[in-house]
């Protein structure tokens, strides 16, 4: 998320941390590693990811070790970067809990209909000509474009499933990103679309989503995709344009699916899928090859019997 | 859906189309190809389906080519039959959006309980001795029988996932069908049951459905079926009586599943299943054969090793 | 469930049944076979399960045959034990249907937030520092600990999917158990967690559950488990501590999953999983063995071709 620019010295003071770098160095955003741009502070607490964080576009790194500071960047040394980052999130974007169904700070465009029982959180914006069916929940700060239809019971903006395993409990990374639904999107009933952790979950223009679909934090879906019912897409996936996923497909986290790919029903995608490829199965592989495997497997019991008979 | 009878000439005028046939020829219904009866107008826009539409029970065909008119029928020639059909749907059954939780036009039988947060749309009818738990949504015109229990958060009557791929967007076929829930049905929590596109989605008498189940448009389910949690049934399937589906089963569109069939957990049904058959796997096949395959596959790595060792 | 102690004679009279045993023998609970303790009455109506019921910890057995009474126990003879048990449940714990969003009999701890559209049933207790997001439904008598977060649209306490197949209909076993959510639990959006049939469904301390997850009746989940989105766990499973299940996993009923086990995405668990094991596939087996099968299967089409070519 973007924040009002703050100096390295002042940011470090907020979390009672020491720093390495010019005290006037500016931080203009707080973002998790997979979506960083210059000006951002990012956190890292595992040696495995030190290099990734230090070499990322982020210009400030909150880290739990006194390492060499890359040129042009700054470090903030804190024994618990994850917890420190949560404190900053809470400082810059404190959680609010609206006590009314339609927050007075929400904006709703012309010709848009919000039906009974729908909850529109603080600072939500809804475009023109939308239909928000009964009992849809839109969490604070989410943005809905024009001509969007959201069917009953769908949840837009729940927290990311992003937790750090502490010895005695799981510590949640405080979600401060949003969900952005672009124009002409149609979402079915009882779906759940999580906010990005620090950035945005995006449903691209003209994409159609059926019922009971889960879209995790920071997923970016392109334009004019078709998602059938019961799909679950894990966090940080990048889905191209005109991708089709049939019913009950699952996609593991942080994968890229190219434009025009087709994922057949119940497939479990465990690796990137190139543009235009048609895949099937768990783990999903190119459909024709998969069908040959299925056909071969049907012959296997008799084949084994035959080999034993020899 | 049924409409007040209208002449061919008048119907064609509504969509500014030309027609072939007796101008007094009557149209008494608008239906999509998979559920047509005499008196219906149906639409077709792809040469692949021309014959199916022209030879169907429908007595009026809205088509985008000047073809030979079958005896006793009429044609309406329109460059965009899909869009024209939507206009007719909108004309005969304009969408309404109730602004209250319990529409005054709904009828609720004796001893039926509608709990807080439930939304009962326009012209919904609910029979006797029903329990509609909190935050259940019943869209306009749906019909619920007697002794029906619907658990919290379930959505009855959301739109069909039925869209036409235009170059720049998807055009939705306007849903004008209903959901009919027969007597003694029990539906779990957070399910989603879509309306039929032009006809009815039907849940047969005494059928029991667990939580988080998706039933798509125009599915017809027989009597006393058992559907466990997490199932997704695609559009236009015909499910017989006393069919059992275990958890997370998926069924592709337009399939027929015979009486008494059993679909084991997580199976993906891709073809018709005969009555009484027990199936498993994705794609689902007869369970005993499937188990032999699974057993054979467990031996395959060692078998391949042995063949390589030779 | 626990009941006020009642004599054998009086309990039998409530269901107009005969009994075998000391008429002053006390019944202090009503429980279904998988969760019985001394003092309980249990029911059994199928010869296959007679021995299990008679030898269980339950000290009173409602049975449809005049069998020998085990020492120290009592029998109640009734032609329909299932129906008789339902009558007793209804007598001791009659169903109520709150007509308000927040039952005056519910207790909500300090610093807990209940957002608009959430339904809090009769005698629900919610601890301190909880956040109950909009349109969460908590059925009567469920208990939520401290520091619990439940995201929008999640249903806590819907009925068990537990029905007896009668010739003309399914008879539901009346759910009289509860859901207990322990401290520090985080549940995502649009989940559904059913009550135990007669005992409790339990979500252990610190467990984290993602969106669209189904937890059936009488499931007991340990501490600090991680459940990703789209999971369905069938009734009566016992899940240990620190178990991880990835997206869209399914678990069949009455299974035990040991501490620290990992169930990979889309797996279908059909048998008990030992502590610490990592499993994959449907049916789920140890992951490394499963991966060898998958690798071998990819070679099978070429292998079969080669064998045919010989």
């Amino acid at each position: 998320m973007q924040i009002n620019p703050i100096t390295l010295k002042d940011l470090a003071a907020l979390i009672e941390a020491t720093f390495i770098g010019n005290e006037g160095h500016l931080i203009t955003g707080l973002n998790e590693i997979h979506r960083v741009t210059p000006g951002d502070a990012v956190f890292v607490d595992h040696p495995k990811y030190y290099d990734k964080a230090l070499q990322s576009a982020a210009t400030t790194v909150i880290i739990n070790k006194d390492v060499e500071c890359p040129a042009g960047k700054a470090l903030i040394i804190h024994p618990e970067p994850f917890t420190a980052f949560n404190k900053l999130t809470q400082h810059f974007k404190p959680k609010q809990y609206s006590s009314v169904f339609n927050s007075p700070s929400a904006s709703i465009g012309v010709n848009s209909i919000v039906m009974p029982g729908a909850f529109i959180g603080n600072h939500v914006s809804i475009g023109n000509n939308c239909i928000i069916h009964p009992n849809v929940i839109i969490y604070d700060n989410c943005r809905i474009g024009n001509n969007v239809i959201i069917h009953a019971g769908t949840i837009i903006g729940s927290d990311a499933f992003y937790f750090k395993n502490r010895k005695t409990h799981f510590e949640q990374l405080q979600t401060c990103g949003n969900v952005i639904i672009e124009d002409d999107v149609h979402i079915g009933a009882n779906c759940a679309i999580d906010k990005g952790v620090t950035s945005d979950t995006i449903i691209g223009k003209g994409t159609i989503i059926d019922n009971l679909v889960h879209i995790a934090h920071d997923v970016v879906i392109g334009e004019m995709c078709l998602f059938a019912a019961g799909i679950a897409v894990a966090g940080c996936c990048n889905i191209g344009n005109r991708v089709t996923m049939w019913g009950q497909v699952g996609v593991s986290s942080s994968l890229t699916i190219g434009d025009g790919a087709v994922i057949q029903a119940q497939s479990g995608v465990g690796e990137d899928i190139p543009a235009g490829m048609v895949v099937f199965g768990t783990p999903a592989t190119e459909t024709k090859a998969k069908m040959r495997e299925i056909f071969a497997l049907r012959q296997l019991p008799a084949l084994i019997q035959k080999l034993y008979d020899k």
Side-chain angles (χ1 to χ4, degrees), chain A:
Chain A
M1 66 170 178
Q2 293 305 105
I3 59 173
N4 284 332
I6 181 172
T7 64
L8 179 62
K9 185 182 176 188
D10 289 348
L11 193 83
L14 286 174
I15 51 175
E16 301 174 45
T18 56
F19 60 86
I20 300 172
N22 185 328
E23 69 177 43
H25 172 95
L26 286 180
I27 293 101
T28 58
L30 297 173
N31 275 305
E32 198 264 357
I33 184 64
H34 68 279
R35 292 269 194 95
V36 283
T37 52
D40 284 348
V42 73
F43 70 93
V44 65
D45 57 8
H46 195 291
K48 192 173 161 186
Y49 301 110
Y50 282 174
D51 280 354
K52 188 174 178 186
L54 292 165
Q55 291 160 19
S56 73
T59 40
T60 303
V61 180
I62 308 172
I63 189 168
N64 53 352
K65 195 184 174 192
D66 188 351
V67 297
E68 194 179 347
C69 183
K73 301 200 175 185
L75 302 181
I76 294 177
I77 314 294
H78 190 284
E80 288 291 0
F82 186 98
T83 304
F85 193 83
N86 272 343
K87 277 185 195 161
L88 292 174
T89 298
Q90 179 60 19
H91 176 84
F92 287 102
K93 201 169 182 178
K95 291 238 174 194
Q96 298 178 292
Y97 298 98
S98 177
S99 59
V100 294
F101 276 96
N102 288 282
S103 168
S105 69
S107 81
I108 296 173
V110 295
N111 294 322
S112 284
I113 295 170
V114 175
M115 295 188 72
F119 172 91
I120 311 297
N122 298 308
H123 309 294
V124 164
S125 76
I126 296 175
N128 304 327
N129 309 309
C130 293
I131 304 169
I132 309 299
H133 280 277
N135 289 9
V136 165
I137 306 296
I138 306 179
Y139 280 63
D140 291 2
N141 303 304
C142 293
R143 300 208 302 272
I144 314 291
N146 300 312
N147 316 311
V148 170
I149 295 176
I150 305 178
H151 276 278
T154 280
I155 313 299
I156 307 289
S158 34
D159 278 1
F161 182 70
Y162 188 128
F163 292 81
K164 187 164 187 68
N165 191 342
R166 302 296 192 184
K167 278 190 181 162
T168 59
H169 66 286
F170 290 102
E171 183 180 355
Q172 184 178 16
L173 190 65
Q174 293 304 314
T175 301
C176 61
N178 288 323
V179 176
I180 297 179
I181 311 279
E182 296 183 351
D183 294 350
D184 307 329
V185 166
H186 184 118
I187 301 175
N190 275 345
C191 294
I193 301 179
D194 287 349
K195 286 186 172 180
V197 172
T198 58
S199 180
D200 300 320
T201 301
I202 301 173
I203 312 294
K205 187 172 186 295
T207 282
I208 312 294
I209 295 176
D210 201 352
N211 301 335
L212 291 162
V213 168
H214 162 74
I215 306 292
H217 67 91
D218 296 290
V219 169
V220 176
I221 298 175
E223 301 189 357
M224 290 186 68
C225 292
L226 283 176
F227 279 30
I231 287 169
V233 179
C236 303
C237 285
N238 282 284
I239 316 287
N241 298 320
R242 294 178 179 271
V243 169
T244 301
M245 295 194 198
W246 292 110
Q248 298 178 318
V249 158
V251 183
S252 294
S253 63
S254 303
L255 299 180
T256 296
I257 297 183
D259 292 350
V262 177
I263 320 294
Q264 295 187 298
Q266 289 194 333
S267 296
V269 179
E271 51 188 26
D272 291 351
I273 304 293
M277 189 179 274
V278 181
V279 300
F280 180 51
T282 303
T285 51
E286 194 276 324
T287 293
K288 282 179 190 165
K290 188 73 199 171
M291 293 311 295
R292 281 192 293 270
E293 289 180 21
I294 288 168
F295 183 72
L297 182 55
R298 287 192 185 154
Q299 303 169 64
L300 186 62
L303 177 67
I304 288 178
Q305 190 58 48
K306 202 168 148 191
L307 290 171
Y308 276 113
D309 288 349
K310 273 189 186 174

